[in-house]
Amino acid sequence: MHHLLHIIEHAFLDSVKLLPILFIVYYLIEYFEHKNNNTFNHFMMKSKRTGPLFGGLFGCVPQCGFSVVAANLYAKRTITLGTLIAVFVATSDEAVPILLSYPERIGDILYVLLYKFVIACVSGLCVDLVYKSEIINENLCHNHTHEHGHIHGNCESCDDGPFIATVKHMIRIFLIVFITNIIVGYSIYMIGEETISEFLYTKRFLQPFLSALVGLIPNCAASCVLTELYAEGFLSFGALIGGLSTGAGVGMVVLFKTNKDFKNNLMIVGIVYIIGVLFGSLIQIFC
């Protein structure tokens, strides 16, 4: 019992240090989301074949709101499949705010964003080369009667304003990280850090496959767990990129809800998973 209480205390203290950074990052995101709801929609509709480049750029913003909007736009066929893939792959959800709380990992943020941006753009452009016959509804943006979705990436209701939404999201992420730290700490205590490290090292080639699978979980918990494992040294950088590349947050859920072509949705999931495994493995081998 004494060891368990010590693990919980240590996990709590490690998680508390996240709160100031989470609040600042999420409040800024909420503020700009409330100030500018529809610019992303219009911009992506008008981007046409350069969509994957801008999709990769917008997807790097630390939230899953853009993946939600991209899923809605793709369901209406107002953006290309490559653009949707680029947004999904570039989305890193909670990774950046969590890495900010680790001083020794802050330098990794630039590499995470750079790798994911390049992978997203390359993947999106390649997908569009294959699906040349895809029809884009270019006139929808000029129809002033169509509805626009509110870009709201923090998964909370915006009725109470950005401050309350930020606090709710901050608490939710804190609890996810806190529980993750308890599980990691208890596993280390029961199994032993050397045993875990040795196992992960010998099975290192499997990490991108497993992390990419975890990334497909349509919840911000996936990116939280992957980032925490990387920050604690249990996951390779390549595996982290692989997992974050498949982590489109709730964007995948919205895709299955709005896009009625089930086979097309499964194909998109398969493409995203292959991209995550492929580039995650390449980075792990060569970097």
Side-chain angles (χ1 to χ4, degrees):
M1 179 61 71
H2 174 72
H3 291 292
L4 180 59
L5 291 176
H6 179 72
I7 290 170
I8 293 174
E9 179 186 6
H10 185 70
F12 179 79
L13 294 176
D14 280 348
S15 303
V16 162
K17 67 183 180 181
L18 275 171
L19 293 178
I21 295 172
L22 290 179
F23 180 82
I24 293 172
V25 173
Y26 293 143
Y27 185 80
L28 289 174
I29 292 173
E30 287 286 346
Y31 178 80
F32 287 112
E33 284 175 349
H34 282 77
K35 287 291 184 181
N36 194 10
N37 290 343
N38 292 320
T39 300
F40 176 73
N41 301 50
H42 284 289
F43 193 86
M44 294 308 294
M45 288 180 194
K46 295 177 181 179
S47 63
K48 299 180 183 179
R49 295 297 173 180
T50 59
L53 301 179
F54 296 107
L57 182 63
F58 282 112
C60 287
V61 177
Q63 53 136 308
C64 63
F66 291 115
S67 68
V68 170
V69 177
N72 276 308
L73 294 178
Y74 177 74
K76 299 174 183 177
R77 296 302 187 268
T78 57
I79 61 173
T80 67
L81 176 59
T83 301
L84 176 70
I85 294 296
V87 174
F88 277 6
V89 171
T91 299
S92 55
D93 218 351
E94 315 298 340
V96 171
I98 292 177
L99 285 175
L100 281 171
S101 67
Y102 289 87
E104 70 277 10
R105 298 292 187 183
I106 290 179
D108 294 338
I109 295 175
L110 179 61
Y111 290 105
V112 169
L113 295 178
L114 181 60
Y115 272 110
K116 282 174 63 61
F117 172 72
V118 172
I119 294 170
C121 292
V122 171
S123 302
L125 290 172
C126 288
V127 168
D128 276 348
L129 284 176
V130 175
Y131 289 88
K132 292 180 180 179
S133 61
E134 186 175 12
I135 299 174
I136 311 300
N137 189 346
E138 299 179 23
N139 298 319
L140 183 59
C141 191
H142 300 292
N143 179 3
H144 298 291
T145 63
H146 75 279
E147 296 181 358
H148 285 290
H150 176 55
I151 302 176
H152 195 67
N154 287 346
C155 307
E156 310 293 343
S157 172
C158 57
D159 296 337
D160 297 324
F163 180 80
I164 299 299
T166 298
V167 172
K168 288 180 179 178
H169 190 65
M170 178 183 68
I171 293 174
R172 185 161 59 90
I173 298 304
F174 166 78
L175 291 175
I176 292 173
V177 173
F178 178 46
I179 294 171
T180 300
N181 283 335
I182 292 176
I183 294 173
V184 171
Y186 188 73
S187 300
I188 292 174
Y189 169 71
M190 293 298 294
I191 303 174
E193 186 171 357
E194 290 186 4
T195 302
I196 294 176
S197 299
E198 183 180 354
F199 174 79
L200 291 174
Y201 181 79
T202 55
K203 306 296 183 182
R204 197 165 180 264
F205 70 97
L206 288 176
Q207 287 191 16
F209 292 87
L210 298 176
S211 63
L213 196 60
V214 171
L216 287 175
I217 299 173
N219 191 287
C220 58
S223 61
C224 291
V225 171
L226 291 171
T227 308
E228 279 291 310
L229 290 176
Y230 170 72
E232 295 294 337
F234 294 108
L235 201 65
S236 70
F237 182 73
L240 174 67
I241 295 297
L244 294 181
S245 295
T246 61
V250 294
M252 284 290 186
V253 175
V254 174
L255 177 68
F256 275 86
K257 182 180 179 181
T258 57
N259 187 33
K260 303 306 179 183
D261 190 339
F262 186 73
K263 290 183 178 179
N264 182 242
N265 293 336
L266 290 181
M267 180 190 69
I268 292 171
V269 173
I271 292 173
V272 170
Y273 180 73
I274 291 172
I275 290 171
V277 171
L278 175 62
F279 284 98
S281 298
L282 289 175
I283 292 171
Q284 183 168 275
I285 293 171
F286 295 106
C287 298

